[in-house]
Structure formats: C-alpha cells, structure tokens
Amino acid sequence: METKILLSEKEIPTHWYNITPDLPEQLPPPLHPGTGKPIGPEDLAPIFPMELIKQEVSTERWIEIPDDIIDAYKIYRPTPLHRAYRLEKALKTNARIYYKNESVSPAGSHKPNTAIAQAYYNMKEGVTRISTETGAGQWGSSIALACKIFGMKCTVYMVKVSYEQKPYRKILMQTWGAEVHPSPSNLTNAGKKILGENPDSPGSLGIAISEAVEDAATHEDTKYSLGSVLNHVLLHQTVIGLETKKQLELAGEKPDVLIGCVGGGSNFAGLAFPFVPDKLKGKNIRLIAVEPTACPTLTKGVYTYDFGDAVGLTPLVKMYTLGHDFVPPGIHAGGLRYHGDAPQLCLLVRNKVIEAVAYPQKPVFEAALLFARTEGIVPAPETSHAILCAIDEARKNNNNCIVFNLSGHGHFDMAAYDNYLSGKLEDYEYSEDMIKEAISKIPKF
Ligand SMILES: Cc1ncc(COP(=O)(O)O)c(C=O)c1O
C-alpha cells in the first residue's frame, strides 16, 4: 500500500471548477457600501483587474487555466495525497485517513494557488503593484512570491498581533521583495481612524483589508488582492479537490467525509467544492467546515448582509457574520480570525449541504502534536482544526474514509507551539451576550 498518492505534472488540472451554476439557489448579489444597491463589474474595476471580476460573476462551470499559471503551479503542484497510516495506528482506528498536503508550496500553504492566478491576471492588465492584507502571514508570503514570479511590486498590511508573533513570516515576505506594514498603520485613513479609537488595537483581518483596499483605491498603478472569501479565490483553490478526486480514484477510495478548516473558506472550498455536485446527486458524502470557538462565524453568526472589512469600504455580501467590527482575541490560528466567510460557502451551510463545527485552541494543539509526532509534519495552527475534526470523526466511525486538507505547515508558528508546550495557551469561548452585541452593529438593509 502506498503512503503517498502522486500525480505527474501532466495531471495538473487544466480547468478550475466554478460552483456558481451548481449552487442550490442563486447567490444574493453584493451591494454597494454607499447606496445599498446591487453592484456591477464597473464598481469593482478600481480595485480588481477585469478578468478576475469576470470570474467573480461567471456562471460557466469550467474556467480554463492559462499555460503561464500552470507553469508556475509546477513549482509545487500536483501536491501529494498522503495516507495517514501512522496517525491511524496511534488512534487504533480502522478508519482510513487521508490528507492533501498543500504545505509543500514554497510559502507553506494552499494560498499560492490563487496568489499566482491573481498576480498573473493583474500583470496581464498592466498593473505594477498589488496591495493586500495578511493575518497569519501565509497569504502575504504567497502574494509576495507570486508578485516576484510575474515581476510586480507588493505591499502587505499585516495584522499587528501576527506581525509581533511571527517576525519570520515578515522576513519571508521581504525576502520575496514585498514591503510589509503592521496594521493598523498610520499610512491610511482607515488605519489612523482605528488607532485614534484604540492605540493598542491588536488589528484584525477586517482592519487590514480596509487599509489595503484604500491603498489600491488611491493609487493608479495598484490593485488590491484578497486571499480568501471571494468567488474567484475559491475557484482558483479547486485545483486541490480536483487533484484529490483523481488521487482517491487511484487509491480505489470513495470519501465518506471531507474536512477543512475555515478562515474565509478558501482551502475548505478548494477541497470540498468539486465533490458538491456528487453530494447533490445523492452520494453520501459529509462535508465539514471547522472553525475556532474564538471566532465562531458559521456556528454562531447570523446569515445576513455585512461589510467584508472593518471600516465599511468593501461591498456588502450575504454571509454568516459576527459583525464587521468584531475583533476576535489574538488566538494563534491568526488566519481563522475573520468576522465573515465566503458567500458561496455560507449559502451551502445555510442549505445544509455543508456542516460546521467549532473547536477551542487547546484540544486543537493537542491534535497538532499527535499529528506531528506520528506523521512527522508540524501543522499550521489553522490546519490543526481540521486535524482535530478528522481525529474526532475517526473515533466516531471506525469504517469511514476521511479526507482532510493539510492547508499548511507550522514552521513559522513555533511561538504558538512554545506557548502550548509551556502551558500558557488559553481557550476562548464567546458568550451569547458578546455575540449579540457584535451582531447588533450589522447594518440593516
Ligand atoms: C495554513 C492556513 N490554513 C487555513 C487558512 C484559512 O484561510 P481559508 O479559510 O481562506 O483557507 C489560513 C489563512 O491564513 C492559513 O494560513
């Protein structure tokens, strides 16, 4: 029995899978932040290149991947699908556990799958600089790398708590040529406003997004790039699930459960969306999205229109949200600290096609250690939420084929591991009152 199921470079998918035509109901349109009316492509043109806007609203099921993007994917794709024999043995389970190893990319996560595509389309349309935000630093590193591949400049607003916890992520971004600022910063009006209200703000993804969007909107040569949430980002990530499908076929397996952690929803969607048509046709597959109890968007948020950023510059999208000015505690899974989630994912959760669960960070780290000590790979704290869920599922049912997305490694998260090993890590659970308070600030339409 093979431990790694490998594909050749010729088997890198030639098309991304777009779930829009297969959604059980139409996706509610994004609304203009000023007027509250549905927006059109022209409203997005100041911050995104036209080809990505077209992908955002496309109803084509398959979108061809340009050769230059496939060439760049060859740096690390296809990624291996591993059978977690050693973890299974430690759990004394007969369940078959597989993981898709997206940690083999140079940036250490799935994020380059969309960063490469986004940098390419920007370059094609004459953009010379990309501005973006980053939480854990995984996205910032990925877009820094992608900009370098296509000869562009890159400015990253990094959530301050992560900037302080992860100095080496910052240096990695700088190594690939990016400029990195802790957010909130004094460089934008959005950052100044937040600092005025709270000079010690730890930052959040929502705040950093406000800064990066403002930077793009106020500079002619610059466009904005988002690492998750949007339809075109989820689209690019489907290379994960498309490869996994082929690999499971090679292994003679039919998956019973597919699992991914959720920050904005892109790595989960990348793995799970290509299997959604099978589920809608009646195949018995469970799709489980895993989030932290410190930021319980899908499990405790409300399904309504809200801003994508903290300040209210981005369009309003219909999603599960905790309120756009919700600032989650500085847990170590920085990439999961986002108040909302991808609208396509939320619609599928709403329609009960996808399930959601939330875990506190201590048992998540316990699962991370068990994984590191059996499979050898030290997982990212974000990814470890999916690992804990896979372990739970294996304990519940001994016969299942369980597949999870190993969205990234944790080589830059040693401070988090240090905290866990020295007993300093704390769990956070939001009380119903705190959630009610956060939700009460969502704009009414
Ligand atoms: C390793 C890793 N996994 C998961 C995520 C969550 O993002 P998403 O839900 O878009 O996959 C992040 C975000 O930074 C990440 O770095």
Side-chain angles (χ1 to χ4, degrees), residues 109-111 136 138 228 261-267 335-336 380 382-383 407-408:
S109 76
H110 64 294
K111 301 271 177 179
Q138 293 269 20
S228 190
C261 67
V262 171
S266 75
N267 89 85
L336 306 188
E382 292 83 0
T383 309
S407 58

Side-chain angles (χ1 to χ4, degrees), residues 66-261:
D67 287 345
D68 287 348
I69 295 180
I70 293 185
D71 269 353
Y73 278 169
K74 283 181 187 164
I75 296 173
Y76 62 97
R77 302 211 74 83
T79 62
L81 181 74
H82 299 240
R83 173 88 183 260
Y85 283 117
R86 291 161 195 274
L87 176 64
E88 290 170 15
K89 196 168 165 209
L91 295 172
K92 298 190 178 67
T93 179
N94 289 327
R96 283 121 37 232
I97 306 177
Y98 291 85
Y99 56 94
K100 179 68 168 161
N101 189 358
E102 291 296 305
S103 81
V104 298
S105 82
S109 76
H110 64 294
K111 301 271 177 179
N113 298 334
T114 183
I116 287 170
Q118 293 191 44
Y120 169 81
Y121 290 116
N122 273 287
M123 176 273 293
K124 276 289 194 199
E125 291 181 31
V127 176
T128 56
R129 185 172 73 103
I130 284 183
S131 69
T132 195
E133 76 294 328
T134 195
Q138 293 269 20
W139 169 244
S141 322
S142 305
I143 196 79
L145 168 69
C147 283
K148 200 33 84 191
I149 292 174
F150 294 110
M152 301 161 78
K153 286 192 238 154
C154 180
T155 304
V156 183
Y157 294 87
M158 184 171 188
V159 176
K160 200 196 278 165
V161 57
S162 297
Y163 186 91
E164 284 158 5
Q165 277 173 356
K166 300 183 180 191
Y168 294 119
R169 271 279 166 204
K170 173 189 72 190
I171 299 165
L172 184 62
M173 289 182 248
Q174 291 166 337
T175 302
W176 280 320
E179 212 177 86
V180 189
H181 306 291
S183 165
S185 78
N186 270 318
L187 300 167
T188 63
N189 289 330
K192 282 182 206 154
K193 178 170 180 275
I194 302 278
L195 286 174
E197 288 159 8
N198 176 12
D200 297 324
S201 168
S204 70
L205 274 178
I207 296 170
I209 293 173
S210 300
E211 293 209 88
V213 169
E214 185 183 323
D215 185 333
T218 52
H219 293 91
E220 196 59 38
D221 61 344
T222 304
K223 296 256 190 247
Y224 168 68
S225 174
L226 187 64
S228 190
V229 178
L230 297 177
N231 302 346
H232 67 264
V233 180
L234 275 51
L235 171 83
H236 301 150
Q237 291 295 353
T238 57
V239 288
I240 302 172
L242 294 169
E243 285 180 8
T244 303
K245 264 194 155 177
K246 275 193 200 164
Q247 287 162 311
L248 287 170
E249 268 166 38
L250 285 174
E253 287 282 14
K254 294 201 175 75
D256 296 297
V257 190
L258 293 167
I259 300 167
C261 67

Side-chain angles (χ1 to χ4, degrees), residues 6-39:
L6 304 171
L7 299 175
S8 77
E9 286 183 1
K10 286 195 210 85
E11 291 168 287
I12 292 175
T14 54
H15 292 72
W16 292 299
Y17 166 62
N18 178 17
I19 200 163
T20 300
D22 294 328
L23 288 173
E25 57 180 290
Q26 217 181 346
L27 208 58
L31 305 179
H32 192 281
T35 63
K37 300 249 160 62
I39 56 164

